[in-house]
Amino acid sequence: MTAPDSQQPRPRVCGHWIGAEQRHCLARQELREHRSGLRCPLHTPAALAGQEEPQPGAGLPAGAWTTPSPQSASAVFDQAAIRSGKRRSSPHGRRAARDAQRPQRE
């Protein structure tokens, strides 16, 4: 008995639809995964848009996400206070923590 089509592995081919020829490309050489599926170098999104392929690189610059905004700056200071053991709290919270640290007098 043969396996159903859903259980057979799909061949690794370029899935670009060539509308003028009413067929898929079906190239098997130099395939790369893209959001739109497997594509050969002729049918990558950049090639279809008439652009050069993006070169692999380091990514975002080092300082791209390190500059705190005024809104997130307080979170940075809170994290520093937590790391140092000096947490921010209300006056009654500080009193409760201080009382918990004091040795009980008999």
Side-chain angles (χ1 to χ4, degrees), residues 29-66:
Q29 307 287 322
E30 302 178 40
L31 297 176
R32 288 191 4 209
E33 187 73 40
H34 292 274
R35 285 184 146 182
S36 55
L38 288 173
R39 296 293 185 253
C40 66
L42 295 175
H43 298 120
T44 62
L48 293 174
Q51 301 170 352
E52 293 201 19
E53 289 294 318
Q55 298 300 316
L60 292 173
W65 299 103
T66 58

Side-chain angles (χ1 to χ4, degrees), residues 11-100:
R12 293 185 51 86
V13 295
C14 176
H16 177 74
W17 177 256
I18 304 172
E21 299 175 14
Q22 296 291 305
R23 68 176 183 88
H24 287 280
C25 173
L26 303 179
R28 295 177 185 263
Q29 307 287 322
E30 302 178 40
L31 297 176
R32 288 191 4 209
E33 187 73 40
H34 292 274
R35 285 184 146 182
S36 55
L38 288 173
R39 296 293 185 253
C40 66
L42 295 175
H43 298 120
T44 62
L48 293 174
Q51 301 170 352
E52 293 201 19
E53 289 294 318
Q55 298 300 316
L60 292 173
W65 299 103
T66 58
T67 307
S69 67
Q71 188 174 15
S72 66
S74 63
V76 172
F77 297 129
D78 286 340
Q79 290 299 322
I82 289 169
R83 271 197 310 271
S84 69
K86 299 175 184 176
R87 298 182 182 199
R88 295 180 178 187
S89 72
S90 62
H92 71 273
R94 281 195 298 267
R95 271 194 301 275
R98 186 184 61 215
D99 292 342

